[in-house]
Amino acid sequence: MREVATAARMSIGAVQHHFPTKDDMLVAAFEQVIAATEARLAAVRLGEDVRRNLTAVLRQLLPLDATREAEVRVYLAFAARAATSNQLAQVQQDLQGRLLDGLTEALQRARSAGRGPAAGPPLNPRADAELLLAVADGLAFDVVSNPIGADPGRASRLLDRYLARLLP
């Protein structure tokens, strides 16, 4: 709280007036990052091709530029804190739910259009949405946690490869 007050050139009391606890302040910051990410996701132009839509949307979650890299770093910090904070866990759970609902809806459209994996089990929209989000999260984590070998282009190519298997 002291560091935030100093950076904002405010008294600790003024900060605590708006954010009585550290978790209250972190929730507000987390929600601000989420709002920026969701605004960018909402601006993605969608077409008829589900795979292209998923590619465009999921690339917004990968750290492919400085803005998205900063968001992923913040998101990971908040996700780690959510392990011990019910408030942050709820914010994260709500975000994950919205992302999964959107991915599930897209995969349901793909299944209705007769698309799905060429081999293996048929498309299961909810389960495959969960796997798809896990792949995107893992790729994002890999890029920001490996500063020496970080390669956003590689993450993008791997996402494309996974989507090609899911929706050939």
Side-chain angles (χ1 to χ4, degrees):
M1 294 288 251
R2 186 179 331 276
E3 289 177 37
V4 170
T6 300
R9 297 184 179 158
M10 299 174 71
S11 70
I12 291 176
V15 172
Q16 288 177 325
H17 172 74
H18 295 286
F19 307 107
T21 69
K22 183 176 180 179
D23 276 357
D24 291 332
M25 182 172 49
L26 291 172
V27 165
F30 196 13
E31 288 174 340
Q32 187 175 25
V33 169
I34 290 169
T37 301
E38 287 182 326
R40 197 175 56 253
L41 289 172
V44 172
R45 291 184 167 268
L46 301 177
E48 295 298 317
D49 187 304
V50 174
R51 187 166 124 199
R52 281 190 183 147
N53 292 344
L54 287 169
T55 299
V57 167
L58 290 168
R59 280 189 177 153
Q60 294 303 314
L61 302 178
L62 296 178
L64 301 179
D65 60 29
T67 298
R68 290 179 279 182
E69 181 180 343
E71 286 176 358
V72 168
R73 289 183 185 282
V74 169
Y75 175 77
L76 290 174
F78 284 112
R81 175 86 178 183
T84 59
S85 166
N86 290 337
Q87 280 181 286
L88 287 170
Q90 186 62 54
V91 173
Q92 183 180 15
Q93 184 178 0
D94 292 346
L95 170 63
Q96 293 288 96
R98 289 190 301 275
L99 290 171
L100 285 172
D101 288 347
L103 294 172
T104 300
E105 182 181 321
L107 292 173
Q108 284 171 337
R109 283 196 306 274
R111 184 175 68 182
S112 295
R115 300 211 38 207
L123 194 62
N124 177 327
R126 188 60 175 203
D128 286 318
E130 290 174 9
L131 287 168
L132 191 52
L133 188 55
V135 166
D137 282 347
L139 291 170
F141 177 80
D142 186 53
V143 171
V144 299
S145 68
N146 184 5
I148 295 170
D151 182 358
R154 179 177 172 271
S156 189
R157 288 187 302 277
L158 288 171
L159 175 65
D160 291 345
R161 181 179 174 88
Y162 183 74
L163 284 167
R165 287 183 180 190
L166 188 63
L167 298 170

